[in-house]
PDB file of all heavy atoms in Angstrom:
ATOM      1  N   HIS A   1     -14.350   3.032 -10.223  1.00  0.00           N
ATOM      2  CA  HIS A   1     -15.717   3.075  -9.722  1.00  0.00           C
ATOM      3  C   HIS A   1     -15.992   1.886  -8.803  1.00  0.00           C
ATOM      4  O   HIS A   1     -17.134   1.552  -8.531  1.00  0.00           O
ATOM      5  CB  HIS A   1     -16.716   3.088 -10.883  1.00  0.00           C
ATOM      6  CG  HIS A   1     -16.608   4.332 -11.703  1.00  0.00           C
ATOM      7  ND1 HIS A   1     -17.096   5.541 -11.298  1.00  0.00           N
ATOM      8  CD2 HIS A   1     -16.010   4.550 -12.896  1.00  0.00           C
ATOM      9  CE1 HIS A   1     -16.839   6.463 -12.203  1.00  0.00           C
ATOM     10  NE2 HIS A   1     -16.173   5.885 -13.181  1.00  0.00           N
ATOM     11  N   SER A   2     -14.928   1.255  -8.317  1.00  0.00           N
ATOM     12  CA  SER A   2     -15.102   0.078  -7.472  1.00  0.00           C
ATOM     13  C   SER A   2     -15.206   0.433  -5.988  1.00  0.00           C
ATOM     14  O   SER A   2     -15.391  -0.440  -5.169  1.00  0.00           O
ATOM     15  CB  SER A   2     -13.936  -0.886  -7.680  1.00  0.00           C
ATOM     16  OG  SER A   2     -12.724  -0.252  -7.332  1.00  0.00           O
ATOM     17  N   HIS A   3     -15.115   1.710  -5.641  1.00  0.00           N
ATOM     18  CA  HIS A   3     -15.188   2.091  -4.239  1.00  0.00           C
ATOM     19  C   HIS A   3     -16.647   2.235  -3.778  1.00  0.00           C
ATOM     20  O   HIS A   3     -17.548   2.299  -4.582  1.00  0.00           O
ATOM     21  CB  HIS A   3     -14.447   3.414  -4.001  1.00  0.00           C
ATOM     22  CG  HIS A   3     -14.935   4.533  -4.853  1.00  0.00           C
ATOM     23  ND1 HIS A   3     -14.346   4.841  -6.046  1.00  0.00           N
ATOM     24  CD2 HIS A   3     -15.950   5.401  -4.704  1.00  0.00           C
ATOM     25  CE1 HIS A   3     -14.987   5.865  -6.585  1.00  0.00           C
ATOM     26  NE2 HIS A   3     -15.966   6.219  -5.794  1.00  0.00           N
ATOM     27  N   ASP A   4     -16.808   2.239  -2.463  1.00  0.00           N
ATOM     28  CA  ASP A   4     -18.118   2.504  -1.877  1.00  0.00           C
ATOM     29  C   ASP A   4     -17.912   3.303  -0.592  1.00  0.00           C
ATOM     30  O   ASP A   4     -16.790   3.514  -0.152  1.00  0.00           O
ATOM     31  CB  ASP A   4     -18.904   1.219  -1.632  1.00  0.00           C
ATOM     32  CG  ASP A   4     -18.231   0.280  -0.665  1.00  0.00           C
ATOM     33  OD1 ASP A   4     -17.656   0.747   0.340  1.00  0.00           O
ATOM     34  OD2 ASP A   4     -18.284  -0.930  -0.897  1.00  0.00           O
ATOM     35  N   ALA A   5     -18.983   3.734   0.008  1.00  0.00           N
ATOM     36  CA  ALA A   5     -18.908   4.611   1.177  1.00  0.00           C
ATOM     37  C   ALA A   5     -18.360   3.908   2.410  1.00  0.00           C
ATOM     38  O   ALA A   5     -18.029   4.554   3.394  1.00  0.00           O
ATOM     39  CB  ALA A   5     -20.291   5.171   1.476  1.00  0.00           C
ATOM     40  N   PHE A   6     -18.247   2.577   2.373  1.00  0.00           N
ATOM     41  CA  PHE A   6     -17.764   1.832   3.527  1.00  0.00           C
ATOM     42  C   PHE A   6     -16.300   1.440   3.415  1.00  0.00           C
ATOM     43  O   PHE A   6     -15.769   0.770   4.294  1.00  0.00           O
ATOM     44  CB  PHE A   6     -18.631   0.597   3.758  1.00  0.00           C
ATOM     45  CG  PHE A   6     -20.060   0.969   4.005  1.00  0.00           C
ATOM     46  CD1 PHE A   6     -21.008   0.833   3.014  1.00  0.00           C
ATOM     47  CD2 PHE A   6     -20.450   1.511   5.217  1.00  0.00           C
ATOM     48  CE1 PHE A   6     -22.326   1.210   3.226  1.00  0.00           C
ATOM     49  CE2 PHE A   6     -21.760   1.899   5.441  1.00  0.00           C
ATOM     50  CZ  PHE A   6     -22.697   1.740   4.443  1.00  0.00           C
ATOM     51  N   SER A   7     -15.635   1.849   2.331  1.00  0.00           N
ATOM     52  CA  SER A   7     -14.220   1.506   2.178  1.00  0.00           C
ATOM     53  C   SER A   7     -13.367   2.654   1.652  1.00  0.00           C
ATOM     54  O   SER A   7     -12.179   2.487   1.470  1.00  0.00           O
ATOM     55  CB  SER A   7     -14.078   0.308   1.234  1.00  0.00           C
ATOM     56  OG  SER A   7     -14.510   0.661  -0.075  1.00  0.00           O
ATOM     57  N   LEU A   8     -13.956   3.812   1.426  1.00  0.00           N
ATOM     58  CA  LEU A   8     -13.236   4.885   0.746  1.00  0.00           C
ATOM     59  C   LEU A   8     -12.793   6.005   1.691  1.00  0.00           C
ATOM     60  O   LEU A   8     -13.608   6.650   2.333  1.00  0.00           O
ATOM     61  CB  LEU A   8     -14.119   5.488  -0.347  1.00  0.00           C
ATOM     62  CG  LEU A   8     -13.517   6.662  -1.122  1.00  0.00           C
ATOM     63  CD1 LEU A   8     -12.306   6.213  -1.926  1.00  0.00           C
ATOM     64  CD2 LEU A   8     -14.551   7.285  -2.029  1.00  0.00           C
ATOM     65  N   ILE A   9     -11.483   6.201   1.774  1.00  0.00           N
ATOM     66  CA  ILE A   9     -10.895   7.433   2.286  1.00  0.00           C
ATOM     67  C   ILE A   9     -10.367   8.106   1.023  1.00  0.00           C
ATOM     68  O   ILE A   9      -9.542   7.530   0.321  1.00  0.00           O
ATOM     69  CB  ILE A   9      -9.749   7.164   3.286  1.00  0.00           C
ATOM     70  CG1 ILE A   9     -10.225   6.346   4.470  1.00  0.00           C
ATOM     71  CG2 ILE A   9      -9.117   8.478   3.732  1.00  0.00           C
ATOM     72  CD1 ILE A   9     -11.175   7.052   5.421  1.00  0.00           C
ATOM     73  N   PRO A  10     -10.859   9.276   0.664  1.00  0.00           N
ATOM     74  CA  PRO A  10     -10.561   9.871  -0.648  1.00  0.00           C
ATOM     75  C   PRO A  10      -9.071  10.007  -0.951  1.00  0.00           C
ATOM     76  O   PRO A  10      -8.289  10.415  -0.101  1.00  0.00           O
ATOM     77  CB  PRO A  10     -11.204  11.254  -0.567  1.00  0.00           C
ATOM     78  CG  PRO A  10     -12.218  11.160   0.503  1.00  0.00           C
ATOM     79  CD  PRO A  10     -11.703  10.148   1.475  1.00  0.00           C
ATOM     80  N   GLN A  11      -8.709   9.632  -2.198  1.00  0.00           N
ATOM     81  CA  GLN A  11      -7.335   9.720  -2.662  1.00  0.00           C
ATOM     82  C   GLN A  11      -7.217  10.563  -3.922  1.00  0.00           C
ATOM     83  O   GLN A  11      -6.115  10.829  -4.390  1.00  0.00           O
ATOM     84  CB  GLN A  11      -6.784   8.309  -2.898  1.00  0.00           C
ATOM     85  CG  GLN A  11      -6.763   7.495  -1.621  1.00  0.00           C
ATOM     86  CD  GLN A  11      -6.844   6.013  -1.869  1.00  0.00           C
ATOM     87  OE1 GLN A  11      -6.318   5.519  -2.855  1.00  0.00           O
ATOM     88  NE2 GLN A  11      -7.500   5.295  -0.974  1.00  0.00           N
ATOM     89  N   THR A  12      -8.353  10.984  -4.468  1.00  0.00           N
ATOM     90  CA  THR A  12      -8.369  11.865  -5.634  1.00  0.00           C
ATOM     91  C   THR A  12      -9.489  12.892  -5.431  1.00  0.00           C
ATOM     92  O   THR A  12     -10.411  12.655  -4.641  1.00  0.00           O
ATOM     93  CB  THR A  12      -8.650  11.103  -6.945  1.00  0.00           C
ATOM     94  OG1 THR A  12      -9.980  10.588  -6.898  1.00  0.00           O
ATOM     95  CG2 THR A  12      -7.664   9.962  -7.175  1.00  0.00           C
ATOM     96  N   PRO A  13      -9.433  14.014  -6.139  1.00  0.00           N
ATOM     97  CA  PRO A  13     -10.523  14.995  -6.017  1.00  0.00           C
ATOM     98  C   PRO A  13     -11.892  14.421  -6.389  1.00  0.00           C
ATOM     99  O   PRO A  13     -12.893  14.745  -5.747  1.00  0.00           O
ATOM    100  CB  PRO A  13     -10.102  16.107  -6.978  1.00  0.00           C
ATOM    101  CG  PRO A  13      -8.610  16.016  -7.030  1.00  0.00           C
ATOM    102  CD  PRO A  13      -8.310  14.541  -6.929  1.00  0.00           C
ATOM    103  N   ALA A  14     -11.941  13.557  -7.397  1.00  0.00           N
ATOM    104  CA  ALA A  14     -13.223  12.969  -7.795  1.00  0.00           C
ATOM    105  C   ALA A  14     -13.791  12.075  -6.691  1.00  0.00           C
ATOM    106  O   ALA A  14     -14.991  12.095  -6.424  1.00  0.00           O
ATOM    107  CB  ALA A  14     -13.061  12.177  -9.085  1.00  0.00           C
ATOM    108  N   GLN A  15     -12.936  11.294  -6.040  1.00  0.00           N
ATOM    109  CA  GLN A  15     -13.385  10.447  -4.937  1.00  0.00           C
ATOM    110  C   GLN A  15     -13.868  11.304  -3.775  1.00  0.00           C
ATOM    111  O   GLN A  15     -14.871  10.991  -3.137  1.00  0.00           O
ATOM    112  CB  GLN A  15     -12.254   9.523  -4.478  1.00  0.00           C
ATOM    113  CG  GLN A  15     -11.898   8.469  -5.486  1.00  0.00           C
ATOM    114  CD  GLN A  15     -10.654   7.697  -5.096  1.00  0.00           C
ATOM    115  OE1 GLN A  15      -9.946   8.042  -4.152  1.00  0.00           O
ATOM    116  NE2 GLN A  15     -10.369   6.647  -5.843  1.00  0.00           N
ATOM    117  N   TYR A  16     -13.176  12.385  -3.486  1.00  0.00           N
ATOM    118  CA  TYR A  16     -13.590  13.303  -2.426  1.00  0.00           C
ATOM    119  C   TYR A  16     -14.983  13.864  -2.727  1.00  0.00           C
ATOM    120  O   TYR A  16     -15.862  13.848  -1.873  1.00  0.00           O
ATOM    121  CB  TYR A  16     -12.579  14.444  -2.291  1.00  0.00           C
ATOM    122  CG  TYR A  16     -12.968  15.469  -1.258  1.00  0.00           C
ATOM    123  CD1 TYR A  16     -12.509  15.377   0.047  1.00  0.00           C
ATOM    124  CD2 TYR A  16     -13.817  16.531  -1.572  1.00  0.00           C
ATOM    125  CE1 TYR A  16     -12.870  16.310   1.011  1.00  0.00           C
ATOM    126  CE2 TYR A  16     -14.194  17.465  -0.618  1.00  0.00           C
ATOM    127  CZ  TYR A  16     -13.719  17.346   0.662  1.00  0.00           C
ATOM    128  OH  TYR A  16     -14.092  18.261   1.613  1.00  0.00           O
ATOM    129  N   ASP A  17     -15.173  14.351  -3.957  1.00  0.00           N
ATOM    130  CA  ASP A  17     -16.460  14.937  -4.337  1.00  0.00           C
ATOM    131  C   ASP A  17     -17.586  13.919  -4.246  1.00  0.00           C
ATOM    132  O   ASP A  17     -18.688  14.221  -3.788  1.00  0.00           O
ATOM    133  CB  ASP A  17     -16.384  15.525  -5.756  1.00  0.00           C
ATOM    134  CG  ASP A  17     -15.453  16.727  -5.833  1.00  0.00           C
ATOM    135  OD1 ASP A  17     -15.177  17.355  -4.785  1.00  0.00           O
ATOM    136  OD2 ASP A  17     -14.989  17.029  -6.946  1.00  0.00           O
ATOM    137  N   TRP A  18     -17.316  12.683  -4.677  1.00  0.00           N
ATOM    138  CA  TRP A  18     -18.321  11.628  -4.620  1.00  0.00           C
ATOM    139  C   TRP A  18     -18.705  11.334  -3.167  1.00  0.00           C
ATOM    140  O   TRP A  18     -19.888  11.270  -2.822  1.00  0.00           O
ATOM    141  CB  TRP A  18     -17.797  10.364  -5.296  1.00  0.00           C
ATOM    142  CG  TRP A  18     -18.776   9.241  -5.285  1.00  0.00           C
ATOM    143  CD1 TRP A  18     -19.763   9.002  -6.189  1.00  0.00           C
ATOM    144  CD2 TRP A  18     -18.883   8.206  -4.289  1.00  0.00           C
ATOM    145  NE1 TRP A  18     -20.478   7.888  -5.815  1.00  0.00           N
ATOM    146  CE2 TRP A  18     -19.963   7.383  -4.666  1.00  0.00           C
ATOM    147  CE3 TRP A  18     -18.171   7.908  -3.132  1.00  0.00           C
ATOM    148  CZ2 TRP A  18     -20.339   6.273  -3.917  1.00  0.00           C
ATOM    149  CZ3 TRP A  18     -18.554   6.805  -2.391  1.00  0.00           C
ATOM    150  CH2 TRP A  18     -19.626   5.994  -2.788  1.00  0.00           C
ATOM    151  N   LEU A  19     -17.699  11.146  -2.297  1.00  0.00           N
ATOM    152  CA  LEU A  19     -17.983  10.816  -0.901  1.00  0.00           C
ATOM    153  C   LEU A  19     -18.674  11.976  -0.194  1.00  0.00           C
ATOM    154  O   LEU A  19     -19.588  11.764   0.608  1.00  0.00           O
ATOM    155  CB  LEU A  19     -16.684  10.449  -0.170  1.00  0.00           C
ATOM    156  CG  LEU A  19     -16.864   9.814   1.207  1.00  0.00           C
ATOM    157  CD1 LEU A  19     -17.615   8.487   1.099  1.00  0.00           C
ATOM    158  CD2 LEU A  19     -15.533   9.606   1.885  1.00  0.00           C
ATOM    159  N   LYS A  20     -18.292  13.193  -0.506  1.00  0.00           N
ATOM    160  CA  LYS A  20     -18.943  14.367   0.085  1.00  0.00           C
ATOM    161  C   LYS A  20     -20.414  14.411  -0.304  1.00  0.00           C
ATOM    162  O   LYS A  20     -21.281  14.669   0.525  1.00  0.00           O
ATOM    163  CB  LYS A  20     -18.238  15.637  -0.373  1.00  0.00           C
ATOM    164  CG  LYS A  20     -18.870  16.882   0.181  1.00  0.00           C
ATOM    165  CD  LYS A  20     -18.168  18.112  -0.339  1.00  0.00           C
ATOM    166  CE  LYS A  20     -18.930  19.345   0.081  1.00  0.00           C
ATOM    167  NZ  LYS A  20     -18.391  20.543  -0.521  1.00  0.00           N
ATOM    168  N   ARG A  21     -20.697  14.125  -1.569  1.00  0.00           N
ATOM    169  CA  ARG A  21     -22.078  14.175  -2.062  1.00  0.00           C
ATOM    170  C   ARG A  21     -22.936  13.092  -1.428  1.00  0.00           C
ATOM    171  O   ARG A  21     -24.077  13.319  -1.049  1.00  0.00           O
ATOM    172  CB  ARG A  21     -22.076  14.044  -3.585  1.00  0.00           C
ATOM    173  CG  ARG A  21     -23.432  14.160  -4.220  1.00  0.00           C
ATOM    174  CD  ARG A  21     -23.383  14.164  -5.745  1.00  0.00           C
ATOM    175  NE  ARG A  21     -22.464  13.186  -6.286  1.00  0.00           N
ATOM    176  CZ  ARG A  21     -21.408  13.478  -7.069  1.00  0.00           C
ATOM    177  NH1 ARG A  21     -21.140  14.710  -7.401  1.00  0.00           N
ATOM    178  NH2 ARG A  21     -20.621  12.529  -7.518  1.00  0.00           N
ATOM    179  N   TYR A  22     -22.409  11.874  -1.260  1.00  0.00           N
ATOM    180  CA  TYR A  22     -23.217  10.755  -0.779  1.00  0.00           C
ATOM    181  C   TYR A  22     -23.207  10.565   0.733  1.00  0.00           C
ATOM    182  O   TYR A  22     -24.162  10.028   1.289  1.00  0.00           O
ATOM    183  CB  TYR A  22     -22.814   9.459  -1.478  1.00  0.00           C
ATOM    184  CG  TYR A  22     -23.286   9.437  -2.896  1.00  0.00           C
ATOM    185  CD1 TYR A  22     -22.431   9.744  -3.945  1.00  0.00           C
ATOM    186  CD2 TYR A  22     -24.609   9.185  -3.207  1.00  0.00           C
ATOM    187  CE1 TYR A  22     -22.875   9.761  -5.246  1.00  0.00           C
ATOM    188  CE2 TYR A  22     -25.072   9.210  -4.500  1.00  0.00           C
ATOM    189  CZ  TYR A  22     -24.189   9.494  -5.522  1.00  0.00           C
ATOM    190  OH  TYR A  22     -24.643   9.526  -6.810  1.00  0.00           O
ATOM    191  N   CYS A  23     -22.136  10.966   1.413  1.00  0.00           N
ATOM    192  CA  CYS A  23     -22.063  10.723   2.859  1.00  0.00           C
ATOM    193  C   CYS A  23     -21.748  11.971   3.668  1.00  0.00           C
ATOM    194  O   CYS A  23     -22.272  12.135   4.756  1.00  0.00           O
ATOM    195  CB  CYS A  23     -20.990   9.686   3.164  1.00  0.00           C
ATOM    196  SG  CYS A  23     -21.357   8.091   2.467  1.00  0.00           S
ATOM    197  N   GLY A  24     -20.843  12.768   3.176  1.00  0.00           N
ATOM    198  CA  GLY A  24     -20.441  13.962   3.899  1.00  0.00           C
ATOM    199  C   GLY A  24     -19.425  13.725   4.997  1.00  0.00           C
ATOM    200  O   GLY A  24     -18.991  14.635   5.672  1.00  0.00           O
ATOM    201  N   THR A  25     -19.010  12.461   5.180  1.00  0.00           N
ATOM    202  CA  THR A  25     -18.061  12.120   6.238  1.00  0.00           C
ATOM    203  C   THR A  25     -17.292  10.855   5.859  1.00  0.00           C
ATOM    204  O   THR A  25     -17.726  10.086   5.010  1.00  0.00           O
ATOM    205  CB  THR A  25     -18.789  11.905   7.581  1.00  0.00           C
ATOM    206  OG1 THR A  25     -17.814  11.640   8.590  1.00  0.00           O
ATOM    207  CG2 THR A  25     -19.792  10.782   7.522  1.00  0.00           C
ATOM    208  N   THR A  26     -16.154  10.649   6.549  1.00  0.00           N
ATOM    209  CA  THR A  26     -15.390   9.414   6.354  1.00  0.00           C
ATOM    210  C   THR A  26     -15.712   8.399   7.451  1.00  0.00           C
ATOM    211  O   THR A  26     -15.121   7.331   7.492  1.00  0.00           O
ATOM    212  CB  THR A  26     -13.877   9.702   6.389  1.00  0.00           C
ATOM    213  OG1 THR A  26     -13.545  10.266   7.663  1.00  0.00           O
ATOM    214  CG2 THR A  26     -13.460  10.640   5.278  1.00  0.00           C
ATOM    215  N   TYR A  27     -16.641   8.705   8.337  1.00  0.00           N
ATOM    216  CA  TYR A  27     -16.890   7.880   9.520  1.00  0.00           C
ATOM    217  C   TYR A  27     -17.416   6.474   9.202  1.00  0.00           C
ATOM    218  O   TYR A  27     -17.309   5.578  10.029  1.00  0.00           O
ATOM    219  CB  TYR A  27     -17.856   8.596  10.475  1.00  0.00           C
ATOM    220  CG  TYR A  27     -17.942   7.923  11.819  1.00  0.00           C
ATOM    221  CD1 TYR A  27     -16.875   7.980  12.701  1.00  0.00           C
ATOM    222  CD2 TYR A  27     -19.068   7.210  12.197  1.00  0.00           C
ATOM    223  CE1 TYR A  27     -16.929   7.354  13.931  1.00  0.00           C
ATOM    224  CE2 TYR A  27     -19.134   6.582  13.430  1.00  0.00           C
ATOM    225  CZ  TYR A  27     -18.060   6.663  14.291  1.00  0.00           C
ATOM    226  OH  TYR A  27     -18.105   6.037  15.511  1.00  0.00           O
ATOM    227  N   ASN A  28     -17.971   6.257   8.045  1.00  0.00           N
ATOM    228  CA  ASN A  28     -18.521   4.938   7.706  1.00  0.00           C
ATOM    229  C   ASN A  28     -17.444   3.888   7.458  1.00  0.00           C
ATOM    230  O   ASN A  28     -17.730   2.705   7.431  1.00  0.00           O
ATOM    231  CB  ASN A  28     -19.402   5.039   6.458  1.00  0.00           C
ATOM    232  CG  ASN A  28     -20.606   5.900   6.697  1.00  0.00           C
ATOM    233  OD1 ASN A  28     -21.214   5.855   7.750  1.00  0.00           O
ATOM    234  ND2 ASN A  28     -20.958   6.713   5.713  1.00  0.00           N
ATOM    235  N   VAL A  29     -16.218   4.312   7.260  1.00  0.00           N
ATOM    236  CA  VAL A  29     -15.130   3.396   6.902  1.00  0.00           C
ATOM    237  C   VAL A  29     -14.507   2.796   8.157  1.00  0.00           C
ATOM    238  O   VAL A  29     -13.980   3.511   9.000  1.00  0.00           O
ATOM    239  CB  VAL A  29     -14.036   4.130   6.084  1.00  0.00           C
ATOM    240  CG1 VAL A  29     -12.930   3.171   5.691  1.00  0.00           C
ATOM    241  CG2 VAL A  29     -14.646   4.782   4.855  1.00  0.00           C
ATOM    242  N   VAL A  30     -14.558   1.467   8.268  1.00  0.00           N
ATOM    243  CA  VAL A  30     -13.889   0.765   9.357  1.00  0.00           C
ATOM    244  C   VAL A  30     -12.516   0.346   8.837  1.00  0.00           C
ATOM    245  O   VAL A  30     -12.397  -0.302   7.809  1.00  0.00           O
ATOM    246  CB  VAL A  30     -14.684  -0.470   9.823  1.00  0.00           C
ATOM    247  CG1 VAL A  30     -13.900  -1.257  10.849  1.00  0.00           C
ATOM    248  CG2 VAL A  30     -16.031  -0.055  10.378  1.00  0.00           C
ATOM    249  N   ILE A  31     -11.478   0.741   9.569  1.00  0.00           N
ATOM    250  CA  ILE A  31     -10.105   0.424   9.180  1.00  0.00           C
ATOM    251  C   ILE A  31      -9.623  -0.698  10.080  1.00  0.00           C
ATOM    252  O   ILE A  31      -9.725  -0.606  11.307  1.00  0.00           O
ATOM    253  CB  ILE A  31      -9.219   1.678   9.317  1.00  0.00           C
ATOM    254  CG1 ILE A  31      -9.777   2.770   8.398  1.00  0.00           C
ATOM    255  CG2 ILE A  31      -7.775   1.358   8.979  1.00  0.00           C
ATOM    256  CD1 ILE A  31      -9.140   4.109   8.569  1.00  0.00           C
ATOM    257  N   ILE A  32      -9.069  -1.741   9.476  1.00  0.00           N
ATOM    258  CA  ILE A  32      -8.704  -2.932  10.240  1.00  0.00           C
ATOM    259  C   ILE A  32      -7.302  -2.829  10.849  1.00  0.00           C
ATOM    260  O   ILE A  32      -6.549  -3.790  10.875  1.00  0.00           O
ATOM    261  CB  ILE A  32      -8.849  -4.215   9.397  1.00  0.00           C
ATOM    262  CG1 ILE A  32      -8.010  -4.123   8.143  1.00  0.00           C
ATOM    263  CG2 ILE A  32     -10.298  -4.462   9.054  1.00  0.00           C
ATOM    264  CD1 ILE A  32      -7.908  -5.424   7.373  1.00  0.00           C
ATOM    265  N   HIS A  33      -7.001  -1.672  11.358  1.00  0.00           N
ATOM    266  CA  HIS A  33      -5.742  -1.432  12.062  1.00  0.00           C
ATOM    267  C   HIS A  33      -6.055  -0.641  13.328  1.00  0.00           C
ATOM    268  O   HIS A  33      -7.128  -0.069  13.465  1.00  0.00           O
ATOM    269  CB  HIS A  33      -4.758  -0.656  11.176  1.00  0.00           C
ATOM    270  CG  HIS A  33      -4.346  -1.409   9.962  1.00  0.00           C
ATOM    271  ND1 HIS A  33      -3.394  -2.403   9.984  1.00  0.00           N
ATOM    272  CD2 HIS A  33      -4.783  -1.337   8.683  1.00  0.00           C
ATOM    273  CE1 HIS A  33      -3.255  -2.903   8.768  1.00  0.00           C
ATOM    274  NE2 HIS A  33      -4.089  -2.271   7.965  1.00  0.00           N
ATOM    275  N   SER A  34      -5.089  -0.592  14.234  1.00  0.00           N
ATOM    276  CA  SER A  34      -5.303   0.113  15.501  1.00  0.00           C
ATOM    277  C   SER A  34      -5.166   1.623  15.328  1.00  0.00           C
ATOM    278  O   SER A  34      -4.588   2.107  14.352  1.00  0.00           O
ATOM    279  CB  SER A  34      -4.286  -0.370  16.539  1.00  0.00           C
ATOM    280  OG  SER A  34      -2.989   0.071  16.178  1.00  0.00           O
ATOM    281  N   VAL A  35      -5.680   2.334  16.307  1.00  0.00           N
ATOM    282  CA  VAL A  35      -5.570   3.789  16.328  1.00  0.00           C
ATOM    283  C   VAL A  35      -4.095   4.195  16.301  1.00  0.00           C
ATOM    284  O   VAL A  35      -3.694   5.091  15.562  1.00  0.00           O
ATOM    285  CB  VAL A  35      -6.266   4.377  17.580  1.00  0.00           C
ATOM    286  CG1 VAL A  35      -5.982   5.857  17.722  1.00  0.00           C
ATOM    287  CG2 VAL A  35      -7.764   4.113  17.526  1.00  0.00           C
ATOM    288  N   ASP A  36      -3.275   3.502  17.087  1.00  0.00           N
ATOM    289  CA  ASP A  36      -1.844   3.830  17.153  1.00  0.00           C
ATOM    290  C   ASP A  36      -1.157   3.677  15.802  1.00  0.00           C
ATOM    291  O   ASP A  36      -0.305   4.481  15.440  1.00  0.00           O
ATOM    292  CB  ASP A  36      -1.142   2.959  18.190  1.00  0.00           C
ATOM    293  CG  ASP A  36      -1.621   3.245  19.606  1.00  0.00           C
ATOM    294  OD1 ASP A  36      -2.075   4.381  19.857  1.00  0.00           O
ATOM    295  OD2 ASP A  36      -1.544   2.337  20.450  1.00  0.00           O
ATOM    296  N   LYS A  37      -1.527   2.651  15.068  1.00  0.00           N
ATOM    297  CA  LYS A  37      -0.926   2.423  13.743  1.00  0.00           C
ATOM    298  C   LYS A  37      -1.295   3.557  12.790  1.00  0.00           C
ATOM    299  O   LYS A  37      -0.439   4.060  12.048  1.00  0.00           O
ATOM    300  CB  LYS A  37      -1.408   1.071  13.192  1.00  0.00           C
ATOM    301  CG  LYS A  37      -0.820   0.696  11.869  1.00  0.00           C
ATOM    302  CD  LYS A  37       0.594   0.222  12.042  1.00  0.00           C
ATOM    303  CE  LYS A  37       1.062  -0.370  10.726  1.00  0.00           C
ATOM    304  NZ  LYS A  37       2.449  -0.732  10.762  1.00  0.00           N
TER     305      LYS A  37
END
């Protein structure tokens, strides 16, 4: 339960369901790597 909408790309069905319910998208997550990576 340590994840939040600004750091979670779903890795389990429960995380997916939670993020879908609260945000509906993965766009809030900033990834500290390049697009190419």
Side-chain angles (χ1 to χ4, degrees):
H1 295 284
S2 60
H3 56 266
D4 62 39
F6 300 103
S7 65
L8 178 65
I9 301 291
Q11 298 154 34
T12 66
Q15 291 172 351
Y16 177 93
D17 293 339
W18 180 86
L19 192 62
K20 179 182 172 187
R21 183 174 43 239
Y22 287 100
C23 296
T25 183
T26 60
Y27 191 71
N28 296 320
V29 181
V30 174
I31 300 172
I32 57 170
H33 296 281
S34 69
V35 171
D36 294 334
K37 182 76 170 174

